[in-house]
């Protein structure tokens, strides 16, 4: 159990790290943020920061010396960095969760082995792989890079067989996964946490609406039957146990089939706090950020009860300029991330 006064090291300096640092403060814990040079809105919320590259091992060693436990705000922490740090201080969630979730192929293989339902998928390393795979999935199908994809980046929809070469070229000839296209009705997510003693607690299922592949709105309660919601929560618990996970994680799912045919397919796992969980700051008994801090500190998890109906709107790009009108709305909680400049498609805040 981490004692108050100890220091949490966080890899990544964006809004998730910022909100983690803000959640650590009321517990009397300090944060030390490690991030490469750039706009790092988390720095100003932390006791200390290191501005260095993720492969600067001297800087990583100094960072490890100064912290008591290490976590991260993004799943693309290089494996060498995670291994180097975990030889020095506990890294939570552990390197296994990172290794599984930073490669879409290993993530899907893991989900299949765990017996969870997901769209058919195939590993793609060549044009002939792709042609053989679309014969199985049918068209349309979704081609995704195995690594470094987010917010719809690193993926293309293949609609006709003759598009195969250009789809591979568009993804830079990188190793990919082809997935059957899922004609989903809705997208939902489960944010859950697993404590060091194995206790798992989840927040209510979130319903997520995207615009231009970026999360635009999260609504609770989600529109799905109690039995579908129970399935989604059970899948999250299975994932947590099979990964021996410690911390908060997110499972994104597709809702398919109407009425009594309704069910969910797992899309992906994020080994971290998530944009669709920002509503928990004011909308739940414990926020996802406080929950993550509790879990990685070896503390008991907080209660996850939702306090009411919730709508979370992301403020993307110029939408953040509307902050004054938002302040005037009753019941609205404004969060601005303190980023240096507004850019198109950039997450500037949320309400
Ligand atoms: P991902 O990066 O895998 O979360 O995909 C980003 C978004 O693309 C998802 O939130 C869906 O809206 C859409 N998408 C991804 N995979 C599929 C699929 N197999 N079928 C239909 N839509 C998909």
């Amino acid at each position: 159990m981490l004692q108050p006064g100890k220091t949490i090291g966080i890899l990544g300096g964006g809004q998730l790290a910022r909100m983690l640092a803000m959640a650590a403060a009321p517990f009397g814990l300090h944060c030390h943020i490690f991030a490469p040079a750039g706009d790092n809105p988390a720095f100003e919320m932390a006791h200390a920061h290191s501005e260095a590259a993720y492969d600067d091992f001297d800087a990583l060693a100094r960072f490890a010396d100064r912290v008591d436990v290490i976590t991260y705000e993004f799943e693309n922490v290089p494996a060498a960095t995670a291994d180097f740090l975990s030889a020095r201080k506990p890294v939570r969630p552990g390197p296994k969760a990172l290794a599984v979730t930073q490669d879409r192929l290993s993530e899907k293989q893991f989900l299949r082995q765990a017996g969870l339902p997901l769209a058919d998928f195939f590993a793609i390393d060549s044009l002939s792989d792709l042609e053989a795979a679309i014969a199985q999935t049918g068209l349309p199908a979704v081609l995704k890079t195995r690594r470094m994809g987010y917010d719809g980046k690193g993926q293309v929809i293949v609609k006709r067989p003759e598009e195969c070469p250009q789809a591979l070229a568009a993804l830079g000839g990188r190793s990919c996964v082809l997935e059957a296209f899922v004609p989903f009705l809705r997208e939902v997510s489960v944010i859950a946490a697993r404590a060091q003693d194995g206790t798992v607690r989840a927040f209510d299922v979130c319903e997520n609406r995207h615009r231009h592949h970026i999360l635009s709105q999260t609504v609770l309660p989600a529109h799905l039957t109690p039995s579908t919601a129970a399935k989604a929560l059970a899948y999250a618990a299975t994932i947590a146990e099979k990964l021996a996970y410690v911390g908060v994680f997110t499972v994104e799912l597709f809702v398919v089939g109407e009425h009594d045919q309704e069910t969910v397919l797992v899309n992906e796992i994020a080994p971290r706090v998530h944009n669709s969980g920002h509503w928990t700051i004011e909308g739940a008994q414990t926020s996802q950020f406080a929950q993550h801090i509790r879990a990685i500190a070896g503390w008991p998890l907080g209660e996850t009860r939702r306090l009411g109906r919730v709508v979370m709107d992301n403020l993307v790009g110029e939408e953040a300029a509307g902050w004054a009108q938002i302040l005037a709305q009753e019941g609205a909680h404004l969060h601005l991330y303190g980023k240096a400049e507004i850019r198109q498609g950039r997450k500037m805040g949320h309400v």
Side-chain angles (χ1 to χ4, degrees):
M1 275 225 207
L2 207 63
Q3 297 298 308
K6 296 289 182 187
T7 301
I8 295 175
I10 304 176
L11 299 174
Q15 65 267 21
L16 299 179
R18 178 181 168 100
M19 290 185 273
L20 282 168
M22 290 166 74
F27 294 131
L29 293 165
H30 303 295
C31 286
H32 183 142
I33 313 277
F34 187 107
D39 188 6
N40 287 300
F43 283 177
E44 65 186 350
M45 296 298 156
H47 173 70
H49 67 259
S50 304
E51 196 178 71
Y54 293 120
D55 61 357
D56 179 341
F57 293 96
D58 292 336
L60 288 169
R62 288 193 298 275
F63 167 71
D65 280 345
R66 294 176 60 190
V67 304
D68 301 291
V69 59
I70 297 171
T71 190
Y72 41 86
E73 66 157 4
F74 69 117
E75 53 272 47
N76 292 316
V77 175
T81 305
D83 291 344
F84 181 85
L85 291 173
S86 59
R88 288 163 175 77
K89 288 288 158 65
V91 174
R92 296 182 182 136
K96 180 176 180 197
L98 270 178
V100 168
T101 58
Q102 64 184 209
D103 177 347
R104 284 189 196 272
L105 181 63
S106 63
E107 180 174 297
K108 286 171 188 298
Q109 287 165 338
F110 163 79
L111 290 167
R112 184 184 273 167
Q113 270 164 16
L116 304 186
L118 71 168
D120 280 346
F121 64 90
F122 298 88
I124 306 296
D125 286 302
S126 66
L127 182 59
S128 59
D129 285 349
L130 182 55
E131 286 166 348
I134 63 172
Q136 302 288 316
T137 59
L139 291 175
V142 188
L143 186 66
K144 301 179 179 179
T145 55
R146 279 175 60 174
R147 291 176 174 275
M148 300 296 252
Y150 70 100
D151 286 349
K153 294 185 179 75
Q155 63 175 272
V156 286
I157 296 187
V158 184
K159 297 197 181 92
R160 292 176 297 138
E162 55 274 29
E163 291 171 3
C164 286
Q166 78 201 51
L168 285 171
L171 298 179
R174 285 179 286 168
S175 288
C176 288
V177 174
L178 185 80
E179 258 176 64
F181 184 85
V182 178
F184 59 82
L185 300 173
R186 277 178 290 283
E187 291 187 82
V188 297
S189 56
V190 174
I191 319 263
R194 186 170 174 278
Q196 275 172 49
D197 68 3
T199 312
V200 176
R201 283 198 174 176
F203 295 97
D204 285 358
V205 178
C206 318
E207 178 167 338
N208 302 320
R209 298 164 190 167
H210 297 84
R211 221 184 303 145
H212 310 301
H213 293 287
I214 298 172
L215 182 67
S216 165
Q217 189 175 66
T218 295
V219 178
L220 289 103
H223 296 87
L224 74 179
T225 65
S227 74
T228 313
K231 270 189 205 166
L233 296 172
Y235 298 164
T238 301
I239 290 167
E241 273 144 34
K242 301 247 178 216
L243 289 176
Y245 198 90
V246 175
V248 166
F249 65 100
T250 307
V251 186
E252 297 179 27
L253 309 105
F254 297 129
V255 180
V256 294
E258 291 192 71
H259 308 300
D260 54 350
Q261 302 294 309
E262 185 185 280
T263 190
V264 278
L265 300 177
V266 178
N267 174 29
E268 64 177 356
I269 309 167
R272 55 174 170 79
V273 289
H274 195 258
N275 195 168
S276 65
H278 290 358
W279 64 271
T280 58
I281 298 174
E282 291 91 9
Q285 187 66 29
T286 302
S287 83
Q288 63 167 344
F289 302 100
Q291 194 76 306
H292 186 68
I293 300 293
R294 282 168 172 260
I296 64 170
W299 295 357
L301 298 179
E303 202 202 324
T304 52
R305 185 165 49 89
R306 180 166 52 85
L307 303 177
R309 302 179 70 82
V310 179
V311 178
M312 190 285 306
D313 284 317
N314 258 352
L315 299 175
V316 179
E318 286 297 335
E319 288 164 359
W323 61 271
Q325 290 93 298
I326 293 163
L327 279 177
Q329 290 168 16
E330 213 164 305
H333 295 275
L334 176 68
H335 294 257
L336 293 174
Y337 303 147
K339 294 190 181 177
E341 73 175 306
I342 293 184
R343 266 187 260 133
Q344 203 197 343
R346 193 170 201 208
K347 292 175 179 172
M348 304 301 298
H350 72 268
V351 189

